[in-house]
């Protein structure tokens, strides 16, 4: 990825999806009466939006602006964008452990994406920015790793609900 505008267009898409995923996870945690983890996810969504704004600003100041790419024109390493997370794993019984693990996976994929761009690009400015972004994603991953220590994996059978929410509340 040797063109700054192309790189920043990827960064914006990645942070968009990240913010969206965190809002979904926050809603899920609120629904399951876990306001602490919900608040963490709202904060992470906020960071993603700040990061997005930063990329938009850079694109406007240093390039002709963001590119208008079709979905198939994105150059992700995998099949989908690195920070999109496996939202199908969102389960109405999702525990903080599952939500935090899902978010951690996405942060690690984002970090790897930026690190890979930094390692392979021939554009000095792209390398510098990608390196910085990879560092920020690594920090996000560390925050989630710390939170995960407070929420151990649930016992087997955690998803067998003896009291479905429709009957409860
Ligand atoms: Zn992140």
């Amino acid at each position: 990825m040797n063109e700054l505008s192309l790189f920043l267009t990827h960064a914006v898409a990645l942070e968009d999806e990240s913010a969206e995923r965190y809002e979904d996870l926050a809603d899920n945690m609120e629904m399951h009466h876990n306001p602490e983890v919900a608040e963490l996810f709202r904060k992470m969504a906020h960071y993603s939006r700040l990061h997005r704004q930063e990329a938009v600003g850079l694109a406007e100041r240093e390039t002709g602006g963001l590119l208008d790419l079709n979905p198939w024109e994105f150059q992700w390493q995998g099949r989908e964008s690195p920070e999109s997370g496996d939202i199908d794993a969102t389960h109405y019984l999702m525990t903080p452990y599952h939500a935090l693990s899902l978010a951690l996976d996405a942060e690690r994929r984002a970090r790897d994406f930026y690190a890979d761009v930094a390692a392979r690009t021939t554009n000095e400015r792209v390398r510098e920015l990608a390196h910085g972004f990879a560092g920020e994603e690594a920090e996000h991953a560390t925050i989630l790793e710390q939170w995960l220590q407070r929420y151990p994996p649930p016992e087997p059978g955690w998803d067998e609900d003896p009291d479905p929410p429709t009957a409860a509340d």
Side-chain angles (χ1 to χ4, degrees):
M1 198 164 303
N2 302 321
E3 209 187 302
L4 184 55
S5 58
L6 182 63
F7 169 66
L8 291 169
T9 300
H10 279 72
V12 165
L14 194 147
E15 298 303 335
D16 265 348
E17 287 182 38
S18 172
E20 206 177 304
R21 186 186 51 257
Y22 276 123
E23 295 292 0
D24 284 349
L25 289 172
D27 290 346
N28 186 294
M29 287 296 101
E30 247 154 43
M31 215 160 63
H32 293 100
H33 313 292
N34 203 313
E36 269 201 326
V37 180
E39 195 190 327
L40 167 71
F41 288 155
R42 300 272 182 229
K43 212 183 297 168
M44 299 297 276
H46 174 71
Y47 292 148
S48 294
R49 284 189 295 265
L50 288 180
H51 210 171
R52 181 195 195 282
Q53 277 170 26
E54 190 192 334
V56 171
L58 284 163
E60 281 165 1
R61 286 191 305 275
E62 299 188 24
T63 77
L66 294 169
L67 302 179
D68 190 12
L69 293 185
N70 291 305
W72 60 88
E73 291 173 307
F74 282 89
Q75 298 170 20
W76 308 117
Q77 297 142 302
R79 278 158 303 176
E80 46 178 355
S81 89
E83 227 178 337
S84 72
D86 184 6
I87 223 65
D88 291 342
T90 309
H91 187 289
Y92 79 99
L93 281 173
M94 187 184 273
T95 64
Y97 169 81
H98 289 91
L100 289 163
S101 303
L102 196 147
L104 177 58
D105 273 3
E107 294 292 353
R108 284 176 175 160
R109 283 200 302 277
R111 175 202 59 197
D112 292 349
F113 169 73
Y114 287 131
D116 185 69
V117 169
R120 292 175 2 168
T121 187
T122 57
N123 181 315
E124 199 54 49
R125 183 67 175 135
V126 170
R127 178 167 30 243
E128 182 188 10
L129 288 171
H131 182 73
F133 289 4
E136 286 175 41
E137 300 300 352
E139 278 172 37
H140 296 166
T142 303
I143 292 169
L144 294 169
E145 279 162 8
Q146 286 163 354
W147 275 73
L148 263 171
Q149 288 174 6
R150 293 157 55 175
Y151 295 95
E155 300 291 321
W158 65 275
D159 55 349
E160 288 157 22
D161 189 352
D163 183 19
T166 43
D169 310 305

